[in-house]
Amino acid sequence: MSKQDKVIIFDTTLRDGEQAPGASMNQREKMEVALALERMGVDIIEAGFPVISKGDFESVQMIARKIKTSSVAGLARSIKKDIEAAGEALKSAKHPRIHVFLATSKIHLEYKLKKTPDEIVQMAVDSVTQARKLCADVEFSPEDASRSEKDFLYRVLEAVIKAGARTVNIPDTVGYAMPEQYGKLIVDIRNNVPNIHKAIISVHCHNDLGLAVANSLAAVKNGARQVECTINGIGERAGNASMEEIVMALRTRQDFFGCSTGIKTTEISRTSRLVSKFTGFAVAPNKAIVGANAFRHESGIHQDGVLKEPTTYEIMRPEDVGFSGIGLVLGKHSGRHALKARLKQLGIELNDAELVKAFERFKDLCDKKKEVFDEDLIAIVEDQTQKEVKDIWILESLAVKSGTHIKPEVEVKLKSGGKSHVRKATGDGPIDACYVAIDEITGLKGKLLNYGIQSVTQGKDAQGEVRVRVNFNGQKAMGIGMSTDVIEASVKAYLNAVNKTCAALKSKTRLSEKAIDFGLQP
Ligand code: KIV
Ligand code: ZN
């Protein structure tokens, strides 16, 4: 395969993805995502927008220091201090890239930037020239390219390539383009920008009309060789092009595209779960590639066909994306070695102490649940990781009285420092009542920002996984809790957020390393 056939995967989960309302991750979480992206073979990781905040600067810096095989990019407006901040944050990166952007559409020039076309060309050239002094690898994005006048776009692209941009990205910033039109734009750029052969053409599509992936693929078909995308398609408004869909489309339809990526596709499921866990954005069951139902066949005719020959109804193998399936793996009589071996097959390696804890929880679950699936095991380990926060408050017991015509009443008993604390409370519902009781005991007043519940597997006895995001007097924390009882899962999730907050408050400094370790939102 020639070099031209490789499509470079530029992941922007940590920058554009994190810009999605409510998706913010703390530094420890960002680092974990960056490591997962590197493990899956992403070519470029856009780690953040260094000038935007101290937190963003530090995240990019941390990621730049740690990531060795992928390039690490930092975003900058066409402004001196942005480019300086990006250069500084990326100083220790093995493969740094500065990504500079400036809008080129008439509407942005007139209303947002209030600049003439000549001024825009000059600004773009000056920024790329400045960035090139700090970094050999510079990408330029004419923001809102798909709505820009083509002749002006060609002029800007030619000028920035001349100034040293190695990659020119063509954003469909507002998700306005249609696949045919966007593909043609790539062809037109190739035919009308004289020095285009000196740069890679990249694409960056938003999903406002649900066309981000289709547009990106149309661009690849017409010569683009870098795609900017995010895990699970998270991002501003309706999101960005979803990486897993792009990668699997290119792989599954190699006959059509004649291109491939360097992505280790078996890491897809795991990375998708990680991003979902940290952002609190659940993946829809019918989401292509990573949804829980993406490889499940319900209809008898389909099941029969798949059993006879999987390719009758499956165009991809679930194992190719690291989907573990719903096989019954372990039960009441399975021992610790069996658990360890199965977790290893799922890509999870635990040390001895972690394994002891996971085994205890596995046995507890076997008492409550007839069948234990791979998803249950993964959930146990993920829940345990959350618990690595020191449990200052532990749930001892919970009693709930609730029904159709009665006001819910609960009694919550928590333990802290060897002492038990009990409170009775009422509320709008049993979960609200529990949260009132917890607030009274802990003295923290929590405002629930987000609450989400989903079942880990199928069946009436499935475990419920609750994710909450809570604001405790300006300190925001995410919590996860699991149980076969959804009220208990809700209490555990809230307590997980309480414990993170207590730990961070204890360490006083909001942005101290300790707060970051505890997973607290700066
Ligand atoms: O959508 C967009 O135009 C962007 C640019 C900064 C590349 O995110
Ligand atoms: Zn974008």
Side-chain angles (χ1 to χ4, degrees):
M1 188 177 296
S2 79
K3 205 165 174 251
Q4 267 301 92
D5 295 328
K6 177 173 174 187
V7 173
I8 296 165
I9 296 295
F10 177 113
D11 179 275
T12 183
T13 306
L14 296 173
R15 199 277 299 169
D16 223 350
E18 215 236 355
Q19 274 173 232
S24 53
M25 291 177 251
N26 63 48
Q27 291 183 4
R28 184 186 58 82
E29 290 166 343
K30 285 185 187 175
M31 190 69 238
E32 254 195 75
V33 170
L35 289 168
L37 294 172
E38 184 180 45
R39 192 168 51 226
M40 80 192 293
V42 162
D43 299 287
I44 299 136
I45 300 171
E46 188 163 51
F49 197 166
V51 85
I52 224 74
S53 70
K54 188 169 170 269
D56 248 59
F57 182 91
E58 287 173 357
S59 301
V60 177
Q61 196 173 45
M62 255 169 58
I63 292 169
R65 283 184 184 141
K66 189 100 181 190
I67 295 296
K68 296 289 176 248
T69 51
S70 312
S71 296
V72 178
L75 185 68
R77 288 167 297 184
S78 289
I79 297 177
K80 255 189 169 161
K81 69 170 181 4
D82 282 37
I83 298 165
E84 275 163 14
E88 185 60 30
L90 293 167
K91 220 163 57 186
S92 329
K94 189 138 188 249
H95 310 286
R97 171 178 292 193
I98 298 182
H99 178 190
V100 186
F101 75 98
L102 180 64
T104 49
S105 66
K106 220 172 167 185
I107 196 161
H108 279 236
L109 258 65
E110 260 177 53
Y111 295 103
K112 190 179 86 175
L113 300 171
K114 301 192 191 320
K115 299 271 182 212
T116 64
D118 286 348
E119 285 171 323
I120 292 292
V121 176
Q122 196 56 52
M123 274 172 81
V125 167
D126 290 348
S127 321
V128 171
T129 309
Q130 185 198 347
R132 274 301 306 261
K133 287 187 185 141
L134 302 170
C135 185
D137 186 1
V138 172
E139 169 172 335
F140 179 81
S141 286
E143 192 191 8
D144 206 14
S146 57
R147 293 195 301 167
S148 301
E149 283 181 1
K150 283 191 179 176
D151 285 339
F152 182 56
L153 184 62
Y154 305 151
R155 186 179 156 204
V156 172
L157 294 176
E158 184 181 355
V160 293
I161 294 170
K162 205 164 152 207
R166 280 194 193 168
T167 303
V168 285
N169 182 38
I170 312 300
D172 181 28
T173 304
V174 289
Y176 181 73
M178 292 290 128
E180 212 180 314
Q181 187 185 31
Y182 193 60
K184 170 131 186 351
L185 175 60
I186 303 302
V187 173
D188 290 345
I189 289 171
R190 291 175 67 195
N191 291 334
N192 289 285
V193 178
N195 54 0
I196 195 68
H197 59 282
K198 293 190 177 157
I200 303 265
I201 302 179
S202 167
V203 286
H204 176 113
C205 298
H206 280 269
N207 207 29
D208 299 66
L209 293 171
L211 292 169
V213 169
N215 282 333
S216 306
L217 292 173
V220 169
K221 185 73 183 160
N222 286 288
R225 285 297 177 263
Q226 175 178 292
V227 176
E228 303 198 353
C229 45
T230 60
I231 299 289
N232 299 338
I234 65 166
E236 282 268 2
R237 307 180 308 278
N240 289 58
S242 132
M243 191 223 279
E244 57 280 4
E245 293 177 25
I246 303 272
V247 167
M248 290 313 287
L250 292 177
R251 181 184 152 129
T252 309
R253 295 305 310 274
Q254 204 161 359
D255 61 317
F256 180 75
F257 290 103
C259 296
S260 67
T261 70
I263 297 295
K264 204 168 151 198
T265 60
T266 47
E267 290 292 329
I268 286 178
S269 282
R270 182 177 169 188
T271 312
S272 159
R273 277 197 306 270
L274 194 74
V275 170
S276 167
K277 180 175 85 174
F278 289 155
T279 56
F281 285 9
V283 172
N286 64 330
K287 162 86 174 65
I289 318 294
V290 290
N293 292 346
F295 293 97
R296 279 184 184 143
H297 304 276
E298 198 64 31
S299 122
I301 298 172
H302 290 202
Q303 283 176 354
D304 180 54
V306 169
L307 284 173
K308 286 177 178 147
E309 169 53 48
T311 54
T312 51
Y313 287 101
E314 281 184 359
I315 58 166
M316 299 165 270
R317 295 182 315 163
E319 55 270 33
D320 289 344
V321 299
F323 188 79
S324 49
I326 51 162
L328 176 66
V329 289
L330 297 173
K332 225 180 169 80
H333 304 291
S334 309
R336 201 178 306 168
H337 288 299
L339 176 68
K340 187 176 178 180
R342 186 60 200 156
L343 286 173
K344 199 166 171 200
Q345 281 170 352
L346 294 171
I348 302 167
E349 302 227 23
L350 299 183
N351 63 33
D352 289 347
E354 288 164 343
L355 184 65
V356 169
K357 277 197 215 161
F359 189 63
E360 264 172 39
R361 299 200 58 190
F362 163 68
K363 284 288 177 188
D364 281 350
L365 190 61
C366 289
D367 286 338
K368 291 182 187 156
K369 213 170 169 286
K370 274 201 303 260
E371 300 170 316
V372 176
F373 299 106
D374 285 346
E375 285 89 338
D376 287 314
L377 299 182
I378 293 164
I380 285 176
V381 174
E382 284 181 350
D383 192 45
Q384 196 168 301
T385 322
Q386 289 288 316
K387 292 265 164 358
E388 247 108 67
V389 171
K390 265 208 185 66
D391 274 343
I392 296 168
W393 295 99
I394 299 164
L395 176 67
E396 265 201 318
S397 67
L398 174 65
V400 178
K401 200 166 110 191
S402 176
T404 4
H405 300 297
I406 53 171
K407 196 163 171 71
E409 281 175 25
V410 300
E411 185 184 275
V412 179
K413 193 169 177 186
L414 302 184
K415 197 170 175 174
S416 182
K419 261 181 79 184
S420 294
H421 306 255
V422 193
R423 280 291 185 289
K424 287 190 175 164
T426 59
D428 291 336
I431 294 169
D432 180 49
C434 290
Y435 292 177
V436 170
I438 294 173
D439 282 355
E440 281 183 16
I441 297 174
T442 60
L444 285 174
K445 182 95 193 82
K447 184 166 182 286
L448 197 60
L449 302 174
N450 248 321
Y451 174 95
I453 181 162
Q454 65 180 47
S455 77
V456 174
T457 54
Q458 294 162 318
K460 282 188 195 154
D461 62 354
Q463 295 192 90
E465 183 184 88
V466 173
R467 288 155 193 249
V468 292
R469 200 167 265 279
V470 192
N471 186 344
F472 297 101
N473 285 335
Q475 296 274 32
K476 292 178 195 153
M478 213 266 281
I480 299 186
M482 274 187 353
S483 170
T484 46
D485 174 331
V486 293
I487 300 181
E488 189 179 320
S490 307
V491 167
K492 284 180 170 174
Y494 195 81
L495 272 183
N496 186 225
V498 164
N499 282 327
K500 284 178 181 174
T501 306
C502 288
L505 290 177
K506 237 175 152 184
S507 72
K508 292 268 192 308
T509 334
R510 262 181 108 214
L511 255 178
S512 72
E513 274 301 308
K514 205 161 187 179
I516 290 157
D517 282 346
F518 284 125
L520 204 91
Q521 271 312 113

